[in-house]
Each structure stands twice: as C-alpha cells, then as structure tokens.
Amino acid sequence: MKPIAIIAEFNPFHQGHDFLLTTLRSHVTTTTPLIIILSGSFVQRGEPALFTKWRRAAWAIQSGADVVLELPTVYALSAAPAFAAGAVRLAALIGCQQLAFGSEIGTAHDFYEIYQKRKKIEQVPFSPGNYTYGQYITNQLRPLLTPTQQKMLGSPNALLGIEYEAARSTYASKMELYPILRSNRHDSMTIEKGFASGSLLRKAFQKNDTAFLHAYLPPIVKNDLNDIRSQGEYTDYTRYGDFILYALRQQSLDTLRTLPAFSEGLEQRFLHIVSHSSTWHDALCKLKTRRYSYRRLCRMGSYIVLHPAASLFQQAYKEGPPYARILGLSPVGRKFIKQSSAVIPYVSKIPPFLKQASLYAKEMMSLDMQATDLQHLSFVGSPFHTGNIDFYHPPYILPD
C-alpha cells in the first residue's frame, strides 16, 4: 500500500477531477489511501475560493478520495515553487509515497530531466537585463530539451509539475511522481474533449448558467449548487475587492514593506494606483505589467487584507508545515490516520491543538483562520458573515 497524494483546489470539483480520481483508483486497490492536499479558503492565484473548503472536501471524499488535508494558507498564497514545496513536504510528512497530478503533457522522466537541467542553469549567476529571471531560465533551458519537453514549458500544469519535481528532489527524494495526462488546461475557456475547466465553470456559476454547469459537473456537485446559490454560500469577488481597497488605504509605505513580496518600490505604485481606483479590478488592470502577472498582483492584494508578516512566510519556507489539518475522511482515510506514522500532528479540532502548539504553528493556524473568516465575510449571503468558523466547523466524515 503506497499512499498517493494529489495536490488540488477542486474549485469546483468537476468531471476532470472525477476522471483523475477514477483513473488513480483503477490502478490501485480499494484500500490504497488517496490523500488530497487542498488549497483552503484562498487559492494560489491570490483570491478566496469560490466555495468553502468543507464543501470541496466533501465533494472529493464522496468521489473516492480518502483524506482531505488543508494546505496551509502561507503555501496556498505563494508563487509556484513555494506552493509546490509546501504541498509536497506536507504529503511527505504524513507518509505519502507517490504524488499524482494532471498534466497536459510529459512523463515522470521528462519532469526529472527538465528539473536536473534547470538546476544546472540556476547555479550560474544571473545578470539582470531585458529579461526577468524566469524568462532567462526558460531561454537558457529550451535548447537543451527534447521537442516534447519544450512544449511542457508552455503548459501551465506541466510547469507546475516541474516545481513538484523540484520539491520532490529537495524534500522527498523517495516519493514517486505520477503524472496523469489531462485533456485541457486548468484555465482553458473552451470545451476540450468533453471537459470544462475550473475557470470556465466558475464563470458559468457566476452567470447562473445552470444548463452548462449540469453538463460538465458530477451529480454530487450539481445537487449542491442550488442550495449554495440560494443561501449565498459563495464568494462575491466585488465585495472582496472592496475589502482590499479599504485595507490598502489604511496602510503606509513602511507597513506595506513588512508584507511578503512588497519590494523594488512596488509598494509606492500600489498605494498611488489603488487610491485612485474605484474597484480592485480597475487597480489590477493599471498595475499589470510584463514583469508583474495578475496572479502575483492578486496574491499581493491578499497580503494587504490578511496582513501576514513576511517573516512568517520565510519561516514557513524554511521549516515546512507544522500540522496536517483534516477537512474530510472516508472509512479508509480514518484507518490511514489511525495507523499513520506522520511526524506532524493531525488537527481535527482547533482549540486543543492551539493549547499545545508552538508559536510558529499558532501563527500559521491563525492565518488559516483569518483566511476562512475573510472568505466567509466576502460571501453573498449575510448569514455566513460571522467569524471564527474554523473553531466549530467539523471535518466531513463519510459514514461506513
């Protein structure tokens, strides 16, 4: 039995995710634990998830996953290398021996070769010029690769797979990569081979395109959407953006410099542009340059409103995850947890954990709870605007 980790957002859980879990299950026994490392209340592109982490965990467990663990917010709101490293380290700390992920192209050997060649290039000092560091690495790397590997450099999931390989090589060398070919990109805005991307489905949900959603979502998700919509249990991104505008207008240059990623004078540009913008979307359009992607700017927006210290991110990157927060369990998952030789504690109830946690773990957990409260405060439905949700919301448990 080799526990398999899958790093995911499931925002929402769709037919492509169902295909991934079904494919994995067809290659292993029914008692092989499938462990989901799930971005929690915020996702890596730098904004609240559209749906709660407990809804998404329940969808995963009902579709064949055995354990859903929350990726701490520090890693969920980091650029791809730190995001991948945090998730891979969490998987390794609880005993996962394989890491499965969807990729548009590439084998495990391709990911290994690309990373090994990239690592050699990264050892040579970089002289800033007309390229960013990332563009420089890509330009140096491309001539060294096979045609298939060159195509991987233009595929977002494959690029993330390279970061998984980097993290595996650094922190979990005995773990095996298990790429599964997917038919479309995660951000595709067109239907490809019968699958719709998460981006397309989120847009359809926000437009209330029920017919489209029902055509491309599994039954367990379709059955929940009416309740979610009628209750307003989903994120209003305009409302969230207003929180960023307000929070930034209370900041000084000195306080912005204490946040992650605010350097190179960008904090001055943020203050000037946001103070003259009527919406967060308008500010993003003005802030966007070739050097600063929307994802990076959105993550910086989340730092403004959540206000984490840059030092916490630095400590998290150095020390790794200090706990494994349980969001969902199947019967197989409960057995896995009971027999697990994890070297970090599992957390199902927050209060008893905080009584004995280190200061570092408390700060990490505090940011997770802040993220959940902010996501819920951004929901359409006012009944969800209460705080401290993490204190009393239990994991989703699938009965025997």
Side-chain angles (χ1 to χ4, degrees), residues 159-304:
L159 285 171
L160 188 55
I162 297 168
E163 300 303 341
Y164 291 150
E165 169 58 31
R168 184 207 65 81
S169 176
T170 305
Y171 300 107
S173 59
K174 294 182 180 180
M175 187 180 289
E176 302 171 1
L177 282 195
Y178 191 169
I180 295 177
L181 294 181
R182 57 184 293 158
S183 62
N184 65 347
R185 295 160 56 114
H186 71 283
D187 58 352
S188 174
M189 298 308 288
T190 60
I191 302 299
E192 298 178 27
K193 297 182 180 179
F195 291 95
S197 69
S199 297
L200 199 54
L201 290 163
R202 287 190 296 274
K203 185 176 181 180
F205 179 83
Q206 290 165 321
K207 291 171 62 178
N208 198 17
D209 189 346
T210 303
F212 183 88
L213 292 168
H214 282 202
Y216 296 103
L217 290 174
I220 57 164
V221 182
K222 289 187 288 189
N223 293 340
D224 281 349
L225 288 188
N226 285 339
D227 286 343
I228 289 172
R229 183 176 297 284
S230 64
Q231 296 170 17
E233 192 187 10
Y234 61 96
T235 299
D236 177 345
Y237 289 103
T238 299
R239 180 178 170 87
Y240 166 69
D242 288 343
F243 292 146
I244 297 177
L245 296 185
Y246 176 78
L248 184 59
R249 291 169 187 176
Q250 311 309 307
Q251 308 299 317
S252 67
L253 287 174
D254 287 339
T255 55
L256 282 180
R257 291 179 184 123
T258 67
L259 303 179
F262 278 89
S263 59
E264 304 172 343
L266 190 56
E267 61 276 11
Q268 298 184 46
R269 192 159 177 262
F270 252 84
L271 273 178
H272 174 74
I273 288 178
V274 174
S275 64
H276 291 84
S277 299
S278 59
T279 68
W280 174 230
H281 179 265
D282 178 41
L284 282 174
C285 292
K286 295 174 182 176
L287 288 164
K288 174 73 174 69
T289 65
R290 290 183 63 185
R291 186 184 181 99
Y292 298 106
S293 68
Y294 280 117
R295 281 177 174 249
R296 178 174 176 179
L297 294 169
C298 286
R299 287 195 295 270
M300 294 175 76
S302 71
Y303 304 153
I304 290 167

Side-chain angles (χ1 to χ4, degrees), residues 7 21 40 74 80 98 100 107 142 173 188 190 223 252 276 299-300 307 353 385 389:
I7 301 166
L21 293 184
V74 163
Q98 292 182 302
T107 65
R142 193 178 297 278
S173 59
S188 174
T190 60
N223 293 340
S252 67
H276 291 84
R299 287 195 295 270
M300 294 175 76
H307 212 77
F353 169 72
H385 295 169
I389 300 99

Side-chain angles (χ1 to χ4, degrees), residues 11-135:
N11 185 40
F13 186 91
H14 55 63
Q15 288 178 340
H17 300 135
D18 193 51
F19 173 80
L20 174 64
L21 293 184
T22 301
T23 301
L24 281 174
R25 186 59 75 192
S26 70
H27 292 161
V28 299
T29 68
T30 56
T31 58
T32 299
L34 300 184
I35 317 295
I36 309 298
I37 310 296
L38 186 76
S39 294
S41 298
F42 273 66
V43 293
Q44 202 257 339
R45 65 183 167 278
E47 62 186 21
L50 185 57
F51 307 106
T52 75
K53 56 191 177 187
W54 293 287
R55 285 277 189 182
R56 291 178 286 131
W59 292 333
I61 295 295
Q62 292 171 31
S63 300
D66 296 303
V67 179
V68 180
L69 301 176
E70 180 175 2
L71 178 64
T73 304
V74 163
Y75 306 113
L77 282 176
S78 291
F83 169 87
V88 169
R89 293 173 82 175
L90 178 55
L93 287 167
I94 63 164
C96 292
Q97 298 174 40
Q98 292 182 302
L99 174 65
F101 60 96
S103 178
E104 302 91 344
I105 189 173
T107 65
H109 185 66
D110 287 324
F111 288 105
Y112 173 81
E113 282 200 335
I114 292 174
Y115 173 62
Q116 293 302 317
K117 291 173 182 177
R118 189 184 80 177
K119 187 165 62 171
K120 291 181 180 179
I121 295 171
E122 290 172 338
Q123 293 171 355
V124 178
F126 168 65
S127 299
N130 295 327
Y131 299 105
T132 66
Y133 182 66
Q135 291 168 336

